Amino acid sequence: MKTAIHLEKVAAIDLASFSEPARGCLTVVESHQHIPFSIARIFYMYGVPNGCARGAHAHRETEQVFIAVSGGFSLEVSNADQRKIFALTEPRRAVYVPPLFWARVYNFSREAVCLVLTSASYDPADYIRDWNEYLSAVGGLQR
């Protein structure tokens, strides 16, 4: 799935949330409703030490959605020329990251839980972990 990778394809998503004072809040995430793919894998990060960053890689084919289910963190998404930074602090807000974008998660609060939904199961061959390799992979896609 190689397409031009313009940062406009990275999108913030407002998830459906319902709140009742006596019962609290409920937020819903559904494949092809709130996110643009079928969910194949779910993982979450927590207890990330102060100053530590996670991610710092791109995927060749996998789509991702990042959600701060507790606390907060920053998500930096880059292509070869630009970057966007999202401050995720609300569980009803998510960020969609298509394939071939470099993503880095950092600035975790002490109680942060970062939930990630992906369109594919784990496959080491799908990862681009070296920035220079990433630049080579996307070099012809920027036009």
Side-chain angles (χ1 to χ4, degrees):
M1 170 194 288
K2 289 196 173 187
T3 59
I5 56 168
H6 302 285
L7 278 175
E8 294 79 32
K9 294 182 179 209
V10 176
I13 301 168
D14 290 318
L15 301 170
S17 293
F18 307 92
S19 178
E20 295 179 26
R23 296 178 51 183
C25 300
L26 176 113
T27 298
V28 178
V29 179
E30 294 181 359
S31 296
H32 300 287
Q33 295 293 319
H34 307 104
I35 60 171
F37 56 81
S38 294
I39 299 167
R41 181 173 182 236
I42 300 169
F43 64 91
Y44 48 96
M45 297 172 270
Y46 59 96
V48 178
N50 188 26
C52 182
R54 301 294 308 258
H57 60 262
H59 290 277
R60 298 175 197 285
E61 302 287 336
T62 301
E63 300 170 82
Q64 301 179 95
V65 168
F66 292 81
I67 304 169
V69 294
S70 179
F73 54 86
S74 297
L75 170 65
E76 178 183 275
V77 182
S78 306
N79 63 19
D81 301 315
Q82 302 172 304
R83 69 181 177 154
K84 267 188 182 179
I85 298 174
F86 298 87
L88 290 163
T89 59
E90 300 176 45
R92 66 178 182 260
R93 186 90 161 160
V95 174
Y96 168 69
V97 179
L100 292 173
F101 283 92
W102 191 268
R104 183 174 72 98
V105 188
Y106 64 101
N107 197 27
F108 289 85
S109 66
R110 195 168 55 97
E111 69 283 4
V113 178
C114 171
L115 177 70
V116 184
L117 314 172
T118 71
S119 64
S121 296
Y122 176 75
D123 177 4
D126 185 52
Y127 285 71
I128 303 171
R129 298 183 188 274
D130 178 78
W131 179 252
N132 290 325
E133 181 185 344
Y134 172 74
L135 293 176
S136 294
V138 300
L141 303 175
Q142 293 297 310
R143 310 295 171 258

